[in-house]
């Protein structure tokens, strides 16, 4: 499969009054053309920071990419000038955020907001842009699009506004769509509709998707691969079936125990992971999950675990999977 995006050894830090918060530490993963992957983890694990790094939308000047590369279609985005990034955002990468109300302009008509990107990135007339906007609204399942383009965001429901965001993000046919918690603010039925719509459009247009979510429950429907992040690092990667049927990192196991599963006949009681993630002002030298891990061994607090292969396309950064590990030596 051809690669669209390749992230290698990404390090992102935030400068604060207390010091440097190392929010993303050595993250590497890739997205193939036409593939949908998920990045999952608790809030603050670095998933949104990773997404914002790809878009180069990190808050400036406090946040900085300290190291690493982000290669889209063979081009490294890390040192791109803002002018070039403006073209890339929207045209090559589309983005959908959690709350469409904060991303949509409350004072502009929906049609104008969809047309804006089209006019910026293409040499077309305003009339053509509006025609295309109507088509986009139709594609995302909004009825009476001719009437709807003249309405304002407050005249749309939450689910409809998220459909509009998808229309805006996909209007210029980007190669990559980054969706950061796109359905978190919506109720469950609407959530399922939006995810279904994204999946359908992805299959039709061959757009690659990065779905960012804290909710493993929404991943199975949409994605083929999962990247699990914890405390700024990747701790496990694998296909959806590997991660769901056979999670190998204790953190992923904990995450899975905290979501209701429809595919399981009987499930242990839902539980949340005890404790809190480490302070990224002073990241731990050993495994970041050490203080919360029920399986922790002595080595875990002292040395960082490397990635071990735990399945076909399955890797886990945990000492338990080291060939020399003895699981019974719990400390
Ligand atoms: Fe737990 Fe050790 Fe694995 Fe970290 S390396 S997840 S502390 S067993
Ligand atoms: Mg976030």
């Amino acid at each position: 499969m051809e690669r669209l995006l390749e992230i290698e050894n990404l390090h992102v830090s935030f400068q604060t009054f207390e010091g440097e918060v190392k929010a993303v530490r050595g993250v590497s993963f890739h997205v193939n053309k036409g593939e949908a992957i998920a990045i999952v983890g608790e809030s603050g694990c670095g998933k949104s920071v990773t997404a914002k790094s790809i878009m180069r939308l990190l808050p400036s000047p406090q946040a900085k990419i300290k190291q690493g590369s982000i290669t889209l279609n063979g081009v490294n985005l890390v040192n791109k000038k803002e002018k070039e990034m403006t073209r890339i955002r929207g045209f090559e990468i589309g983005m959908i955020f959690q709350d469409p109300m904060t991303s949509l302009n409350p004072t502009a008509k929906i049609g104008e907001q969809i047309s804006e990107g089209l006019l910026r990135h293409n040499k077309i007339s305003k009339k053509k842009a509006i025609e295309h906007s109507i088509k986009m609204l139709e594609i995302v399942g909004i009825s009476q699009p001719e009437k709807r383009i003249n309405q304002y965001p407050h005249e749309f429901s939450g689910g409809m506004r998220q459909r509009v965001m998808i229309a805006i993000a996909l209007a210029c046919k980007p190669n990559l769509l980054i969706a950061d918690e796109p359905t978190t603010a919506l109720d469950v039925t609407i959530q399922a509709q939006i995810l279904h719509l994204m999946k359908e459009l992805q299959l039709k247009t061959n757009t690659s998707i990065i779905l960012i979510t804290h909710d493993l429950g929404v991943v199975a429907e949409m994605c083929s691969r999962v990247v699990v992040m914890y405390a700024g690092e990747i701790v496990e990667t694998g296909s959806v079936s590997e991660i769901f049927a056979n999670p190998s990192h204790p953190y992923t196991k904990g995450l899975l125990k905290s979501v209701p599963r429809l595919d399981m006949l009987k499930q242990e009681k839902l539980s949340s992971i005890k404790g809190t993630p480490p302070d990224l002002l002073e990241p731990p030298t050993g495994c970041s999950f050490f203080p919360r891990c029920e399986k922790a061994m002595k080595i875990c607090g002292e040395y960082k675990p490397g990635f071990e292969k735990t399945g076909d396309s399955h890797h886990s950064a945990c000492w338990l999977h080291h060939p020399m590990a003895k699981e019974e030596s719990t400390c």
Side-chain angles (χ1 to χ4, degrees):
M1 262 207 261
E2 220 183 317
R3 293 212 170 164
L4 174 70
L5 179 79
E6 177 117 39
I7 297 189
E8 261 182 285
N9 196 27
L10 182 70
H11 289 258
V12 184
S13 289
F14 285 73
Q15 210 53 55
T16 68
F17 283 118
E18 281 110 309
E20 183 187 335
V21 175
K22 296 152 196 94
V24 170
R25 302 178 290 134
V27 159
S28 303
F29 67 93
H30 70 273
V31 186
N32 291 322
K33 287 197 172 153
E35 182 190 34
I37 74 152
I39 305 181
V40 301
E42 292 164 299
S43 68
C45 71
K47 52 195 195 311
S48 294
V49 177
T50 302
K52 290 204 173 88
S53 306
I54 301 170
M55 299 288 282
R56 293 272 314 280
L57 286 176
L58 290 167
S60 175
Q62 41 313 13
K64 270 208 172 69
I65 295 175
K66 303 286 273 196
Q67 221 191 100
S69 61
I70 300 170
T71 311
L72 181 74
N73 268 327
V75 177
N76 189 358
L77 303 183
V78 169
N79 299 317
K80 283 266 168 256
K81 296 231 159 56
E82 182 50 30
K83 199 174 156 208
E84 275 175 285
M85 280 313 300
T86 311
R87 188 193 65 80
I88 290 168
R89 286 193 289 264
F91 196 58
E92 290 190 46
I93 314 172
M95 193 148 182
I96 308 171
F97 299 94
Q98 177 176 333
D99 181 8
M101 227 19 198
T102 56
S103 330
L104 289 170
N105 177 354
T107 64
K109 289 178 183 166
I110 291 297
E112 288 165 21
Q113 300 196 50
I114 306 175
S115 306
E116 197 191 309
L118 286 163
L119 290 165
R120 192 182 321 132
H121 297 298
N122 303 280
K123 284 196 184 79
I124 55 168
S125 66
K126 217 170 162 191
K127 187 168 166 269
K128 274 262 172 303
I130 288 290
E131 275 169 23
H132 190 70
S133 304
I134 293 173
K135 207 168 135 230
M136 287 311 300
L137 282 187
E138 222 173 79
I139 289 172
V140 298
I142 292 183
S143 54
Q144 296 181 289
E146 291 89 352
K147 185 179 139 209
R148 289 298 226 167
I149 54 155
N150 291 315
Q151 293 183 326
Y152 292 90
H154 74 267
E155 295 174 82
F156 287 68
S157 67
M160 287 294 167
R161 282 198 287 266
Q162 202 54 301
R163 283 172 191 264
V164 170
M165 284 307 298
I166 296 174
I168 293 174
L170 294 180
C172 292
K173 300 195 181 73
N175 298 313
L176 176 66
L177 178 66
I178 301 176
D180 191 355
E181 306 273 5
T183 59
T184 306
L186 306 171
D187 74 49
V188 182
T189 327
I190 310 288
Q191 227 180 59
Q193 285 172 9
I194 296 290
L195 291 172
H196 186 76
L197 170 69
M198 281 173 57
K199 183 75 197 165
E200 198 181 83
L201 295 177
Q202 185 237 346
L203 292 175
K204 253 189 224 160
T205 56
N206 206 35
T207 311
S208 304
I209 293 184
I210 300 178
L211 173 69
I212 292 169
T213 179
H214 66 276
D215 180 359
L216 260 169
V218 307
V219 167
E221 153 111 15
M222 277 280 304
C223 304
S224 54
R225 246 175 348 111
V226 183
V227 170
V228 183
M229 282 187 77
Y230 181 75
E233 297 172 308
I234 294 177
V235 295
E236 181 165 359
T237 60
S239 67
V240 164
S241 52
E242 284 167 329
I243 298 277
F244 275 79
N246 192 22
S248 56
H249 194 282
Y251 175 64
T252 315
K253 289 185 185 176
L255 268 189
L256 277 167
K257 277 192 194 150
S258 64
V259 290
R261 304 270 304 271
L262 292 174
D263 59 326
M264 304 278 276
L265 287 174
K266 66 175 175 48
Q267 184 179 21
E268 293 168 53
K269 223 168 80 244
L270 290 184
S271 57
S272 58
I273 306 165
K274 288 189 189 74
T276 49
D279 184 353
L280 294 182
L281 271 170
E282 295 287 344
T285 38
C287 170
S288 300
F289 195 53
F290 175 70
R292 301 172 80 182
C293 183
E294 287 171 4
K295 300 276 185 185
M297 301 170 284
K298 191 161 180 289
I299 191 174
C300 306
E302 291 163 6
Y303 299 97
K304 199 169 272 307
F307 274 96
E308 301 290 341
K309 196 169 159 71
T310 53
D312 263 357
S313 59
H314 197 179
H315 293 84
S316 186
C318 171
W319 282 116
L320 288 174
H321 302 290
H322 190 274
M324 288 168 74
K326 284 202 201 84
E327 213 175 307
E328 66 269 15
S329 55
T330 308
C331 63

